[in-house]
Amino acid sequence: MEIEQTVTTPPAAQQQPQPQTLTGRFFRCLFTSIFYVQLILISALVIFLTLRGLVFTKPQNFHPKKWYTPLLSSVAVSGVLSLSWQCFFLCNIAATSKATIFLTPLLTLSVGIFLVGYGKTFVPGVGGVLVLFSFALVLHSWLFVTRRRREFTFTIMALSTSVLPARTRVLAVVSSILSVLYSAFLVAGIGGATATATRTGLVYVLFISLIVISLAWTMQVLKNVQVVAISKASYVHFARFEVISVCDALCATLRSHLGSVCIGSTLVPVFVVIRGMIRTANKMENGSDRTMYASDGDCSWVANHMILVGNRYGFVHVGVHNKGFVQASRDTWQEFRRTVGLEELVDADLTSSICFLSAFGIGVISAFTAGIWALLIHKDYFFQLTLYAFIIGYFVGRVSSAWLQACVMAYFVAYAANPEGANFDNRIAERIARQDVEENKRLAENEVRQPEEQDITYM
């Protein structure tokens, strides 16, 4: 059950700023400037494209009502779904997480079959990729996600969100609404570019690509601003029993940490994909995260050092200790490594995967909304509206679930700083001990299997 307290920030909760290097200040100012400049330029581009495509010209092959209505409706659906999904998380985290894990592959499979059945030219190929991705999700969950791992993740999610900082829900709702409104604004520009596509050729593709890239980065920044603010408020509660309002933390984030947030929003998605591929390949070789940490191989070395340059847990130290993102990422992960087994435990946490799957499911439902509607009223718009609706729905879902990820991150970082803290019981220690038992069992099975394989080879 959620308990929310409205308390002003006590003086003791204020963190003393850490010394910042000249290079760090330069890059933070640079990324802050880039962020604001791209917002201004994209806004100007959207207004120009909208006026040019819909007001100053009369395109004969473009029907604004048939193009905008399905897409804007799907944007609204994504907003309603994202808020509803978060309400379900608040009511019952375990049940909602299980539903997310099992429903998202089914929804992905459905939209893949939908594209294969009704698409033309290359569209069935895209549908085929989604079908394969849905099977990959199921296979990964079956092979690598154990029942104990799921249950421990649900336990940590429940513990970390049992007492939310003041104004957490307000910030989550306002951020979701902002993401929907900003997405609808960019949709206007995409429609304006589409209206003049036959005359502008490749320029049309360039304009839409710029708008979509801006949407992705801006949504990442909006999500991570929430993460820094909420995780700071949660951290001081878990670490020192102090209570601060998320609104105060948000003001401090926008005033002092936006550059670090922009840097992290650029690095983390890239690093997560690369490191995730390395971890998956390592597990496919019958390895584990522990063998990857101890290995000096090229890929393992990259994965082990990449996590020190940029990881999502660094956002906690950005807000709490006023560090640059790279330094915060390094210090946070080194704290995890100081407690034996904690690095592996944090790496095995499923919260980020659940947030990803929930956003992916919202994107798929939004894609269905726009795709089916477009198929009924204008088949020429079928695939592009399905694609745009999925992208927007996914990012709106990511923004809305930021509060959940922030609370879990703050819980782990606070535990790493002081495992003996009064706010923590022995569940993490017990899970680490269980990890050791499971790893020893896996190694013993491998030792038994290797002689058997050698006997078969010699025969």
Side-chain angles (χ1 to χ4, degrees), residues 52-361:
R52 182 173 181 269
L54 304 178
V55 178
F56 298 128
T57 60
K58 300 297 180 181
Q60 298 180 351
N61 298 323
F62 183 76
H63 306 279
K65 289 184 179 180
K66 295 181 179 180
W67 194 93
Y68 279 109
T69 305
L71 188 53
L72 290 176
S73 299
S74 70
V75 173
V77 167
S78 69
V80 173
L81 280 175
S82 63
L83 292 176
S84 301
W85 218 298
Q86 304 319 307
C87 290
F88 295 148
F89 273 120
L90 286 170
C91 294
N92 193 325
I93 281 183
T96 306
S97 299
K98 291 178 182 177
T100 299
I101 292 172
F102 291 116
L103 286 179
T104 299
L106 292 177
L107 292 171
T108 307
L109 176 64
S110 300
V111 79
I113 295 173
F114 175 63
L115 292 176
V116 170
Y118 294 98
K120 299 178 181 179
T121 62
F122 65 90
V123 177
V126 177
V129 171
L130 287 176
V131 170
L132 292 176
F133 181 68
S134 66
F135 284 115
L137 289 176
V138 174
L139 187 63
H140 182 273
S141 178
W142 178 50
L143 291 177
F144 303 128
V145 181
T146 63
R147 179 179 59 84
R148 287 191 180 91
R149 185 178 170 188
R150 284 197 301 267
E151 291 178 352
F152 180 75
T153 297
F154 302 157
T155 300
I156 294 299
M157 291 168 70
L159 288 173
S160 62
T161 58
S162 59
V163 179
L164 291 178
R167 309 300 181 190
T168 298
R169 289 176 296 181
V170 173
L171 178 58
V173 171
V174 170
S175 298
S176 298
I177 293 173
L178 284 177
S179 66
V180 169
L181 294 177
Y182 184 69
S183 300
F185 172 67
L186 295 187
V187 163
I190 295 174
T194 305
T196 57
T198 56
R199 289 177 294 173
T200 55
L202 291 177
V203 178
Y204 140 79
V205 177
L206 175 62
F207 284 158
I208 291 183
S209 299
L210 289 175
I211 292 174
V212 171
I213 292 172
S214 173
L215 169 70
W217 193 41
T218 303
M219 291 294 194
Q220 284 289 330
V221 172
L222 180 58
K223 174 179 78 75
N224 290 326
V225 163
Q226 281 190 88
V227 168
V228 172
I230 296 173
S231 64
K232 176 181 180 178
S234 297
Y235 178 93
V236 297
H237 166 70
F238 291 125
R240 298 189 295 272
F241 286 102
E242 296 172 358
V243 181
I244 66 173
S245 171
V246 167
C247 293
D248 296 330
L250 177 65
C251 292
T253 301
L254 294 175
R255 183 175 59 250
S256 306
H257 310 313
L258 186 59
S260 296
V261 172
C262 292
I263 294 172
S265 301
T266 306
L267 295 179
V268 170
V270 178
F271 288 179
V272 166
V273 172
I274 297 174
R275 193 167 184 271
M277 294 170 62
I278 295 173
R279 289 181 66 197
T280 302
N282 182 70
K283 289 185 176 182
M284 293 296 290
E285 295 176 358
N286 201 27
S288 67
D289 286 336
R290 191 170 299 186
T291 60
M292 184 184 73
Y293 302 145
S295 175
D296 292 328
D298 292 339
C299 291
S300 298
W301 184 90
V302 170
N304 292 333
H305 286 75
M306 184 180 291
I307 199 71
L308 296 176
V309 177
N311 62 78
R312 64 176 66 92
Y313 293 91
F315 287 117
V316 181
H317 274 204
V318 167
V320 174
H321 300 302
N322 194 27
K323 297 177 181 177
F325 178 73
V326 175
Q327 182 64 44
S329 298
R330 181 179 295 108
D331 292 347
T332 305
W333 208 257
Q334 287 175 346
E335 281 190 352
F336 290 153
R337 289 179 174 175
R338 279 199 290 269
T339 301
V340 177
L342 184 58
E343 178 184 17
E344 183 181 0
L345 183 66
V346 169
D347 243 355
D349 179 64
L350 296 174
T351 304
S352 61
S353 298
I354 291 170
C355 292
F356 167 78
L357 290 175
S358 66
F360 203 90

